[in-house]
Amino acid sequence: MESFERERTILEYLKNNNSESIENLAKICNSSSMTIRRDIKRLVELKTIEQRHGFVSLNRDISLLVPYAYRETLNKEIKKIMALKAIQLIEDGDVIILDAGTSCIEIAYLLNNKKNLTVITNDLNIANIISNYDIEVYIAGGKIENKNYCSSSIDTIKYIKKFRVSKVFIGTSGITSDFYFCANSCDKAEIKKTMINISNKSILMADDSKFNSPAIIKVKSLQDFNYIITNRIFSNDETNHIQKNGVEILNV
């Protein structure tokens, strides 16, 4: 079992149980106590779980999942403007990935005039929208997250790895104060990493509400993207830090 699989197993178990010992978690994950202690240390550092006297429990102060219907209404107009900026980066003939979420769904609505486009997504709503256009669309399958209309599992990751794409557009559940973008689960974090790794260019979609927001799993630094589309106004120091590796900030 890989580390992200163990972390996912631990988090899923703790969602349904108040607390558990490290020894029992090792048995549940079929791993050594030493390995689980390393996983626990990482999750504690991310403030996802708490550890006391050899027992661990979920950090209940962090919301693991905000309902889709609520997220869909948040900053909707800003997301539409961000999508208008994103669409300028998409060329006829591109093979692109649209990450699951309400930021990328606004991009989907604008793709009907693109030619010879191929889209891969794990978002059922996005796939449904694009299927009405003259666009080749692939849905990355796997276990469907209830009420979130997306696939999120190891099977999703395996499917995505089959492709090599021009550009990926990524959403985020939150961005830390040290500018790491985050996901709400281990599976989602690994899916986003995989999407970025197989793409020639990566674009982060993040409205200003996502910054300094509590989230679960760190995925990558903002410095790992080619473009960041946002309405957040960065200070000069923040801009210099983010653009260190040639990242282009596209403000809206």
Side-chain angles (χ1 to χ4, degrees), residues 17-213:
N17 299 271
N18 289 331
S19 65
E20 190 52 85
S21 69
I22 292 174
E23 289 73 18
N24 282 341
L25 288 174
K27 292 176 182 178
I28 291 166
C29 296
N30 194 26
S31 301
S32 69
S33 295
M34 185 178 295
T35 297
I36 294 302
R37 287 181 190 280
R38 287 198 297 267
D39 296 332
I40 293 299
K41 181 180 179 182
R42 167 179 158 78
L43 292 172
V44 168
E45 288 174 350
L46 292 172
K47 298 183 179 180
T48 307
I49 64 174
E50 299 172 337
Q51 182 178 5
R52 290 188 180 92
H53 309 299
F55 282 78
V56 296
S57 60
L58 201 64
N59 183 352
R60 299 292 177 179
D61 292 334
I62 297 179
S63 174
L64 290 182
L65 201 57
V66 179
Y68 184 93
Y70 176 67
R71 287 188 286 115
E72 195 174 22
T73 65
L74 291 175
N75 299 311
K76 190 174 181 65
E77 293 306 313
I78 291 296
K79 290 173 183 176
K80 287 181 177 180
I81 296 171
M82 288 166 54
L84 288 170
K85 180 71 72 171
I87 205 74
Q88 297 175 24
L89 300 175
I90 301 174
E91 302 172 290
D92 291 343
D94 270 348
V95 178
I96 69 169
I97 291 180
L98 292 182
D99 185 21
T102 55
S103 292
C104 289
I105 201 170
E106 297 298 336
I107 299 174
Y109 285 121
L110 302 176
L111 293 177
N112 56 319
N113 292 323
K114 295 295 180 179
K115 297 178 180 178
N116 301 319
L117 197 66
T118 299
V119 178
I120 303 104
T121 186
N122 62 322
D123 189 300
L124 302 182
N125 284 328
I126 289 175
N128 185 52
I129 293 166
I130 297 174
S131 66
N132 293 304
Y133 307 153
D134 186 19
I135 289 175
E136 192 169 311
V137 57
Y138 294 86
I139 182 75
K143 182 181 177 182
I144 301 298
E145 283 194 0
N146 294 340
K147 300 180 182 179
N148 277 287
Y149 313 110
C150 69
S151 60
S152 180
S153 67
I154 295 172
D155 291 327
T156 312
I157 296 167
K158 289 179 180 178
Y159 187 85
I160 292 170
K161 283 182 177 179
K162 297 178 181 179
F163 295 90
R164 289 293 178 268
V165 304
S166 314
K167 293 148 191 161
V168 59
F169 295 82
I170 296 285
T172 178
S173 58
I175 296 172
T176 64
S177 58
D178 56 347
F179 295 121
Y180 277 81
F181 90 95
C182 299
N184 273 327
S185 72
C186 297
D187 279 346
K188 282 187 175 180
E190 199 65 24
I191 287 169
K192 291 175 189 290
K193 284 181 185 177
T194 302
M195 288 176 169
I196 293 169
N197 289 341
I198 67 170
S199 301
N200 290 333
K201 292 183 179 179
S202 55
I203 301 97
L204 179 66
M205 310 284 291
D207 64 77
D208 58 2
S209 70
K210 301 298 177 64
F211 289 83
N212 297 316
S213 173

